[in-house]
Amino acid sequence: MKATGTAVIAVLVAYTPTLGQCKPGNLQCEHLENPLGIDANSPRLTWNLAGCPDVSAQRSYRVIVGTDSNAVVSGRGDVWESGTIESDKMKVLVPKDSLKPFTRYFWAVKVWDDKNRASDQSIASFETGLMSSNWQGSWITDANDINIKQAPYFRKSFNSPKKIKSAKAYIAAAGLYELYLNGQRVGNHRLDPMYTRYDRRTLYLTHDVTSLLKSGQNAIGVLLGNGWYNHQSTAVWFFDQAPWRARPKFCMDLRITFEDGTIETITSDNSWKTSFGPLIFNSIYTAEHYDARLENPDWNKAGFDDSKWKNVIYTSAPSTNIVSQQLRPIRDLQEIKAASIRKLSPTNYVFDLGRNFSGVSQIRLKGAEGTTLRLIHGERLKKDGHVDLSNIDYHYRPTDDKDPFQTDIFILSGKGEESFRARFNYKGFQYVEVVSDKPVELTKERLTAYFMHSDVPPLGSVTSSSELLNKIWQATNNSYLSNLFGYPTDCPQREKNGWTGDAHIAVETGLYNFDGITIYEKWLADHRDEQQPNGVLPAIIPTGMWGYDWANGPDWTSTIAIIPWNVYLFYGDDQILEKNYENIKKYVNYIDSKSPSGLTDWGLGDWIPIKSESNKELTSSIYYYVDASILARAAKVLGKQEDHQKYSALAEKIRKAINAKFLNPQTGVYASGMQTELSAALFWGIVPDELKPLVAKNLAQKVEATGTMDVGLLGSKTILNALSENGYADQAYKLASRETYPSWGWWIKNGATTLYENWKIEGSSDISLNHIMFGEIGAWYYKALGGIYPDPSAPGFKNTIIKPNFVAGLNAFEANHKGPYGTISSSWKRSGNHVIYNLTIPANSRATVLLKAKNIKADQAKATKNKAIFNKEKEGMQKADLTAGNYRLTIEL
């Protein structure tokens, strides 16, 4: 291949399947598929062209919304029609105030491509919930004190005299609930509703229960759990003293539509009955206790004799803000069978599940009436083979011995084979030790477990020639999912807290790998609920009262800015910026009022450093700069020009103040030259352009001198990225693929299947083996090795920045990410001094490709379509702007 002037011309492969019928795909309303219970006044409708292999771009679209599915299929909408819109956008908002509550809507989208070819029409639906309508039901509870341990059971019988066409159950709860109709549990969710600041926002869910009702006698059953609402276990975060704490309660409307068009609503009122049952204790934090001798068979069926049950009482709503829960629910996502069992004695068995995860265990056995089993869940074993809880019970402060940590208690009824699993609890564990007060016979088939987490669909995948890299990526995902329960947590055992620092460090890992927008939108609403009038946020969100005066500060609570900005980058949806804009602004203004110089030391610092402690004023001020910069960029996105100018100036003021105090311009060293200090300044854009090579060189030399990392939490986010983005990708990969302490590989080498809280693996306390705080490495694979970056100027991967590093020591690598437009694929394989590189850019999007190459040539046997011009940039770098298609290159390094 010859250069012409400064350009290298390459014929690139764009081979596609034969054109078939094209239909827009991935139709979503509010980022969910055919959702129920939509409360948004102007919901978002989105689609893509992933099902149109021969289409490179959308030229125009038409969207129709209506209540008659046949009419919508025929191209007519009685609610709204967009008309044919000349645009490549694949998102519309249903006009405000055009929707009614309790209504199913159908919507269709048809597109025309850049050759003016029309697609087939795709159809989807959504159904509204209560919206602004009032509930007909009342809030009810039993009459018991908050310290009563037994869970309340509720029931009501009713008659449906006519043939039922459809039925929807709308239920809000303070605490957790399981809903039953005629003896069957409704749905497959777990731990509903999600945890919120209960006195400021309460969530309700919508269930389609048509198939569970019948003409004639029916019965509703509701079982309530404490959740975080009535937290009875005592720990250092004072959830037992939360200002909202009360006995669990609920409100319900069962709206039945009959075939004759009439509607009847069965509501929660004082005609319901309540009693206790076998669930004698439940704690979201510790465990559950279940006495099978107290079971009431058929308690949730019609015909049950509830004459001994007492009447419920009316109670106040936990908040005045009752809104629909619109997010990916928690489910049992994987059944995990025991890998082995060890019998320590006739009353003591230890099950090994073979991996660490979040969830519950389920045991099946026969035994004598009154036999009591304790199921102790832990991550480690003692030398004598018993489960060791010392690494995860450090912050628990029990008042007595009646609520053992991560220990379910199951009392047998003696009636044949019995089964137990926790309903309103989850744990983090690999091992389950069963201790009984009477001999029992157990085999490894008698205990199974369920990996539980928010059911976020996978969007990304990574494979490589390095088995270690593959295992680290899987362990990172396992930890991310183990810490996703309607909000991001730090660990699934010791705390279950929404630590802000852990979450913003791992947000890119989450977004590259999973469809998490609904979880993050919910969690940012939690931020808005928790923010003080002066702008201050707590370190854990939600919180009962803890975290406003320790561990917060910009290095932690920058979640209010960093997470909305990243969600915007990955999805191209500015609603999360709009909803949180004033909160970001309030937060930045607070720091500004306390730090007029542009510097702040408010924060926790580089948490859990390996050896060296970085300057806290430097790292906190860097995050202050990040917040101000994001605020300025968000203002520009939202058309707030005056704010854009104001906060751009503030960000520059902070940046100059940092450099004036901490940068030695002659040596290119920040503060004491620690790895976190250098890498954070590089990664977050503090370093002046002309000094970046020198600062990066200092960082590389610092790493080379020891051959290892020397960072804490904040540095774990920046060190690999700072190296790989500034010419030292090979060195970054060496750190990422190390197998000696301290490294991710060190954990894997020692048997880890999740990420740890501490680089050290020894220790007797406060060392969780399932933490996400060091999880940035999962995102780094996509960025540094796959080279897949969202473009802030064309977010949502409308334009993807592609700049992979073909690092020494790795022979092959592939990263795939399913963005809003479809799957972006970047894969390469070494062949001597050449790399075979394959790139897929989805329809209606494009890519800016930057490759380190001496020469680039096409696979001539496939060179039939799509030419691109690679312009030589700086030495060794070539650039091209590519349209949608599949490309194959041979790159001479």
Side-chain angles (χ1 to χ4, degrees):
M1 185 175 296
K2 295 182 179 179
T4 303
T6 60
V8 178
I9 301 175
V11 181
L12 305 181
V13 181
Y15 46 94
T16 57
T18 304
L19 177 64
Q21 291 297 313
C22 167
K23 293 181 69 174
N26 199 37
L27 273 63
Q28 294 185 331
C29 173
E30 290 295 291
H31 297 285
L32 296 167
E33 299 81 15
N34 303 319
L36 299 179
I38 290 292
D39 265 1
N41 185 267
S42 179
R44 297 162 287 181
L45 306 178
T46 56
W47 64 92
N48 67 23
L49 302 180
C52 302
D54 197 42
V55 174
S56 60
Q58 172 186 291
R59 192 188 76 177
S60 56
Y61 67 83
R62 184 183 70 201
V63 173
I64 297 170
V65 180
T67 55
D68 185 325
S69 59
N70 291 326
V72 171
V73 168
S74 300
R76 303 186 312 278
D78 60 354
V79 175
W80 175 63
E81 296 186 18
S82 69
T84 302
I85 305 297
E86 296 285 331
S87 173
D88 63 355
K89 292 184 178 179
M90 297 192 293
K91 183 185 83 169
V92 298
L93 301 179
V94 178
K96 291 181 179 179
D97 302 320
S98 59
L99 304 178
K100 298 177 181 180
F102 311 120
T103 305
R104 188 179 185 189
Y105 293 94
F106 301 89
W107 67 283
V109 60
K110 184 174 185 177
V111 305
W112 288 262
D113 72 357
D114 52 350
K115 298 178 182 178
N116 204 29
R117 296 178 297 180
S119 75
D120 288 342
Q121 188 168 251
S122 292
I123 309 291
S125 69
F126 63 91
E127 185 170 313
T128 51
L130 280 85
M131 300 186 77
S132 58
S133 301
N134 291 322
W135 290 76
Q136 295 187 40
S138 300
W139 283 87
I140 59 175
T141 185
D142 63 4
N144 289 302
D145 182 82
I146 58 174
N147 295 311
I148 294 296
K149 304 299 184 185
Q150 295 97 319
Y153 291 68
F154 301 84
R155 62 169 274 111
K156 178 182 175 62
S157 294
F158 64 95
N159 182 55
S160 292
K162 295 182 286 187
K163 201 166 184 181
I164 296 170
K165 179 182 178 182
S166 66
K168 302 290 165 40
Y170 306 91
I171 180 167
L176 302 170
Y177 75 85
E178 284 190 347
L179 173 64
Y180 298 85
L181 281 170
N182 296 320
Q184 296 188 53
R185 192 169 80 88
V186 174
N188 62 0
H189 297 191
R190 296 290 180 184
L191 304 178
D192 275 333
M194 299 298 104
Y195 175 28
T196 60
R197 174 71 191 246
Y198 293 104
D199 53 355
R200 294 177 184 168
R201 183 165 48 99
T202 308
L203 301 180
Y204 80 88
L205 285 96
T206 302
H207 299 280
D208 187 336
V209 295
T210 307
S211 64
L212 301 180
L213 293 182
K214 58 187 179 181
S215 298
Q217 287 296 312
N218 293 274
I220 313 171
V222 174
L223 170 60
L224 293 185
N226 288 320
W228 295 97
Y229 183 65
N230 184 32
H231 204 278
Q232 296 175 325
S233 301
T234 49
V236 299
W237 304 282
F238 309 128
F239 287 111
D240 61 309
Q241 301 175 39
W244 58 68
R245 189 178 168 196
R247 188 71 172 162
K249 59 184 77 174
F250 75 98
C251 179
M252 179 178 173
D253 285 350
L254 174 59
R255 196 170 191 266
I256 304 171
T257 302
F258 298 103
E259 288 198 345
D260 64 6
T262 59
I263 295 173
E264 180 183 9
T265 302
I266 309 299
T267 68
S268 49
D269 58 25
N270 63 0
S271 67
W272 286 60
K273 295 290 194 71
T274 184
S275 183
F276 293 141
L279 187 56
I280 57 176
F281 175 77
N282 70 95
S283 168
I284 188 71
Y285 181 62
T286 56
E288 290 192 9
H289 307 166
Y290 188 90
D291 188 343
R293 298 170 299 180
L294 303 177
E295 289 179 342
N296 291 309
D298 301 331
W299 70 273
N300 46 24
K301 294 181 180 180
F304 175 78
D305 181 7
D306 59 12
S307 59
K308 294 183 180 180
W309 288 38
K310 66 179 183 178
N311 291 329
V312 301
I313 63 168
Y314 288 124
T315 185
S316 60
S319 78
T320 58
N321 184 24
I322 303 174
V323 297
S324 179
Q325 177 173 301
Q326 290 298 318
L327 75 163
R328 304 286 181 179
I330 298 167
R331 291 190 173 103
D332 295 342
L333 273 306
Q334 186 178 353
E335 181 181 295
I336 301 174
K337 297 184 182 298
S340 65
I341 184 174
R342 182 180 179 187
K343 184 176 182 179
L344 300 179
S345 76
T347 59
N348 198 176
Y349 298 80
V350 175
F351 293 85
D352 181 356
L353 280 304
R355 55 179 290 199
N356 203 340
F357 59 97
S358 61
V360 297
S361 65
Q362 181 168 357
I363 192 167
R364 295 179 297 108
L365 77 161
K366 293 180 180 180
E369 179 182 357
T371 301
T372 300
L373 280 69
R374 290 182 172 237
L375 289 82
I376 306 165
H377 299 73
E379 298 182 316
R380 304 193 308 188
L381 295 179
K382 299 175 182 177
K383 291 182 180 180
D384 61 6
H386 292 280
V387 167
D388 180 6
L389 296 179
S390 65
N391 69 312
I392 55 174
D393 64 359
Y394 183 73
H395 295 301
Y396 184 36
R397 301 291 185 269
T399 56
D400 54 38
D401 61 354
K402 296 178 182 178
D403 181 15
F405 191 67
Q406 289 220 144
T407 302
D408 291 328
I409 297 176
F410 180 31
I411 304 173
L412 303 184
S413 68
K415 298 176 181 178
E417 183 170 284
E418 304 179 60
S419 177
F420 166 79
R421 63 161 285 169
R423 288 173 166 84
F424 300 126
N425 166 267
Y426 72 96
K427 308 168 186 72
F429 62 102
Q430 177 174 336
Y431 304 97
V432 180
E433 181 173 355
V434 179
V435 181
S436 61
D437 62 354
K438 298 175 185 177
V440 292
E441 284 296 326
L442 295 175
T443 62
K444 74 182 181 73
E445 291 74 25
R446 288 291 174 174
L447 187 135
T448 56
Y450 296 92
F451 189 5
M452 292 168 55
H453 55 78
S454 292
D455 189 8
V456 285
L459 295 183
S461 63
V462 164
T463 56
S464 78
S465 56
S466 167
E467 189 60 30
L468 176 63
L469 184 154
N470 298 336
K471 287 182 178 180
I472 294 172
W473 178 75
Q474 189 61 59
T476 303
N477 284 352
N478 285 340
S479 280
Y480 180 81
L481 294 174
S482 292
N483 284 289
L484 207 64
F485 279 78
Y487 64 108
T489 68
D490 58 332
C491 55
Q493 9 68 5
R494 193 186 70 225
E495 298 193 30
K496 301 183 173 77
N497 281 322
W499 275 99
T500 48
D502 301 48
H504 76 66
I505 292 294
V507 65
E508 288 180 278
T509 287
L511 293 173
Y512 273 114
N513 285 296
F514 302 102
D515 184 8
I517 184 171
T518 60
I519 308 297
Y520 286 120
E521 286 186 329
K522 178 265 178 189
W523 196 46
L524 266 296
D526 297 331
H527 278 63
R528 298 193 296 271
D529 288 341
E530 296 286 10
Q531 190 171 35
Q532 297 282 15
N534 63 2
V536 173
L537 290 157
I540 60 173
I541 298 174
T543 182
M545 61 170 61
W546 189 92
Y548 284 101
D549 53 8
W550 186 82
N552 55 347
D555 52 1
W556 243 245
T557 42
S558 284
T559 43
I560 191 63
I562 290 174
I563 288 182
W565 182 250
N566 274 279
V567 171
Y568 168 70
L569 290 180
F570 275 75
Y571 287 86
D573 189 334
D574 61 8
Q575 188 173 108
I576 197 167
L577 292 179
E578 186 176 355
K579 284 190 173 183
N580 295 286
Y581 180 80
E582 292 300 325
N583 304 86
I584 305 170
K585 186 175 177 179
K586 189 184 296 185
Y587 186 65
V588 169
N589 286 345
Y590 174 81
I591 306 175
D592 187 29
S593 70
K594 297 294 184 181
S595 308
S597 69
L599 299 175
T600 178
D601 65 355
W602 180 34
L604 195 56
D606 196 21
W607 188 246
I608 308 187
I610 294 170
K611 182 180 178 182
S612 303
E613 293 191 11
S614 297
N615 186 290
K616 183 160 67 76
E617 186 179 29
L618 171 59
T619 53
S620 291
S621 297
I622 287 174
Y623 277 97
Y624 176 27
Y625 166 80
V626 171
D627 295 338
S629 298
I630 288 174
L631 180 56
R633 284 177 278 175
K636 185 176 182 180
V637 169
L638 299 175
K640 302 176 185 291
Q641 187 57 32
E642 186 176 335
D643 275 3
H644 171 63
Q645 293 174 352
K646 174 182 176 180
Y647 292 105
S648 293
L650 176 61
E652 185 57 23
K653 171 186 171 181
I654 299 166
R655 182 171 176 264
K656 287 181 177 178
I658 293 171
N659 286 327
K661 180 165 184 178
F662 295 105
L663 171 63
N664 183 326
Q666 283 72 44
T667 62
V669 171
Y670 278 83
S672 299
M674 299 296 104
Q675 290 182 15
T676 293
E677 294 167 342
L678 297 172
S679 62
L682 282 165
F683 177 74
W684 292 116
I686 302 297
V687 183
D689 289 345
E690 67 276 11
L691 287 177
K692 285 182 180 178
L694 179 56
V695 177
K697 181 181 179 181
N698 286 331
L699 174 62
Q701 289 177 343
K702 194 80 174 179
V703 172
E704 189 67 29
T706 60
T708 187
M709 291 186 300
D710 184 11
V711 297
L713 175 61
L714 304 182
S716 74
K717 173 74 179 182
T718 60
I719 187 167
L720 298 180
N721 292 296
L723 288 169
S724 59
E725 291 173 6
N726 290 279
Y728 297 93
D730 287 354
Q731 193 173 54
Y733 179 69
K734 286 181 182 179
L735 290 181
S737 58
R738 280 172 56 89
E739 292 186 282
T740 55
Y741 170 84
S743 67
W744 295 272
W746 172 242
W747 294 335
I748 300 299
K749 185 178 179 181
N750 283 274
T753 57
T754 47
L755 303 187
Y756 292 177
E757 179 188 11
N758 202 306
W759 297 109
K760 297 177 181 179
I761 61 174
E762 69 277 2
S764 60
S765 67
D766 210 14
I767 302 177
S768 156
L769 303 188
N770 196 348
H771 251 66
I772 191 54
M773 61 189 293
F774 293 119
E776 163 62 16
I777 190 169
W780 179 81
Y781 291 147
Y782 288 90
K783 292 182 287 186
L785 305 181
I788 301 173
Y789 292 82
D791 182 349
S793 66
F797 297 96
K798 177 65 176 176
N799 187 63
T800 303
I801 306 297
I802 301 289
K803 47 179 181 179
N805 291 287
F806 312 121
V807 294
L810 190 63
N811 293 323
F813 182 84
E814 179 176 346
N816 299 284
H817 173 70
K818 183 181 178 183
Y821 295 88
T823 300
I824 305 150
S825 181
S826 174
S827 67
W828 50 268
K829 187 174 183 179
R830 285 183 173 275
S831 178
N833 195 40
H834 292 77
V835 167
I836 306 300
Y837 182 59
N838 288 278
L839 173 66
T840 297
I841 306 165
N844 206 34
S845 69
R846 57 190 185 273
T848 300
V849 182
L850 295 155
L851 297 174
K852 295 178 181 178
K854 179 180 179 181
N855 219 344
I856 302 172
K857 63 181 179 179
D859 180 346
Q860 296 297 330
K862 299 285 187 179
T864 59
K865 191 177 178 183
N866 280 31
K867 293 184 178 180
I869 298 176
F870 271 82
N871 293 299
K872 288 186 176 179
E873 297 285 300
K874 60 185 180 181
E875 184 178 354
M877 185 68 70
Q878 300 190 36
K879 177 182 178 182
D881 293 310
L882 304 182
T883 57
N886 299 305
Y887 298 90
R888 181 184 177 93
L889 302 171
T890 299
I891 300 170
E892 183 181 358
L893 299 177

